[in-house]
Amino acid sequence: MEHPAAPVRVAIISRQEVVARGLVAMLSDYPDRVVVTSIPSTRSRAKRVQVILYDTIGLHHHNVSELEHLLHNTEARVLIFSRDMRPDLRALALGMGCEGWISMTTRSKELVEAIELFARGLPLPDQPLYLGEQAGLSQREVEVLALIAQGLSNAQITERLVLSANTLKTHVRNLYRKIGVRTRSQAVGWAMRNGFAPPD
């Protein structure tokens, strides 16, 4: 890949210090390609920042105001950093208008390359296998299953994912068939055995 002439200016936003510090350490190995900068607060306009790397754990408990501000009131592009065990948070962020995501399993070199591509408005490389892919679940079915595993009702899931009740029923029926279950409790059990986050 051809590297841009100037390093990409990146701000990292995570509520977990270990994640923020880990990302800074990963990116510090590539000072000629990315420069990690700070912003005064998540409510700032992030001037001169090209990419904000946003940890989706900030959306836990459906707290969306911070990400909404970053998407609509900053000059930077927002790239989400997502835990594979919480595809529901990734789905929420993408539904709010984020244009790209990176898995927490991404290695340093791949992360830097993704940031460079994202800053230039280019497509990101394929992500690693997502939860449920080996069972043949679609990304949307994974998102539905993740929310079922979190204990949300069908009404809450349709609101969260902006789906009709009939569309949700179709997704639920299809994913139940693919993972070989018949009841909601069996689906939750399958999700827990296969890496999905347990209920809060």
Side-chain angles (χ1 to χ4, degrees), residues 8-13 45-46 48-54 67 70-80 97-101 114-124:
V8 179
R9 295 180 62 84
V10 181
I12 295 169
I13 296 178
R45 292 192 60 81
R48 298 178 56 220
V49 174
Q50 293 164 273
V51 174
I52 292 174
L53 196 54
Y54 181 82
L67 182 55
L70 294 172
L71 285 169
H72 303 295
N73 298 288
T74 63
E75 299 172 2
R77 301 190 74 207
V78 180
L79 177 62
I80 57 174
C98 291
E99 299 176 62
W101 69 279
I115 288 170
E116 290 174 334
L117 289 169
F118 191 71
R120 294 160 62 190
L122 299 174
L124 297 181

Side-chain angles (χ1 to χ4, degrees), residues 10-196:
V10 181
I12 295 169
I13 296 178
S14 176
R15 293 189 178 181
Q16 296 183 325
E17 184 179 1
V18 67
V19 173
R21 286 179 179 262
L23 288 168
V24 170
M26 289 170 71
L27 297 177
S28 67
D29 290 337
Y30 301 87
D32 57 326
R33 297 171 63 183
V34 289
V35 173
V36 178
T37 185
S38 62
I39 55 178
S41 77
T42 56
R43 297 293 177 182
S44 74
R45 292 192 60 81
K47 292 182 179 178
R48 298 178 56 220
V49 174
Q50 293 164 273
V51 174
I52 292 174
L53 196 54
Y54 181 82
D55 181 357
T56 56
I57 201 65
L59 297 174
H60 192 53
H61 294 308
H62 207 64
N63 183 6
V64 300
S65 62
E66 181 178 81
L67 182 55
E68 281 180 340
H69 173 83
L70 294 172
L71 285 169
H72 303 295
N73 298 288
T74 63
E75 299 172 2
R77 301 190 74 207
V78 180
L79 177 62
I80 57 174
F81 185 70
S82 174
R83 288 155 180 76
D84 294 346
M85 286 182 15
R86 294 301 306 265
D88 55 314
L89 297 181
R90 179 175 69 239
L92 177 57
L94 293 172
M96 290 172 63
C98 291
E99 299 176 62
W101 69 279
I102 290 292
S103 167
M104 188 174 265
T105 61
T106 302
R107 297 180 180 276
S108 302
K109 183 174 181 244
E110 297 160 346
L111 177 60
V112 170
E113 289 173 353
I115 288 170
E116 290 174 334
L117 289 169
F118 191 71
R120 294 160 62 190
L122 299 174
L124 297 181
D126 292 334
Q127 294 295 304
L129 283 178
Y130 55 82
L131 289 177
E133 185 172 5
Q134 290 179 324
L137 298 181
S138 69
Q139 283 276 15
R140 181 57 95 185
E141 289 163 353
V142 168
E143 292 158 5
V144 169
L145 180 56
L147 293 174
I148 289 172
Q150 288 295 305
L152 274 68
S153 68
N154 279 7
Q156 291 170 314
I157 294 172
T158 56
E159 181 181 351
R160 182 78 60 92
L161 298 181
V162 194
L163 297 173
S164 72
N166 286 336
T167 299
L168 176 62
K169 286 178 185 175
T170 299
H171 287 313
V172 170
R173 186 170 51 248
N174 289 341
L175 76 88
Y176 278 19
R177 177 180 48 80
K178 290 177 182 178
I179 65 177
V181 304
R182 293 186 178 186
T183 67
R184 205 172 189 91
S185 61
Q186 289 174 337
V188 171
W190 188 95
M192 296 304 98
R193 292 191 301 274
N194 286 273
F196 287 74

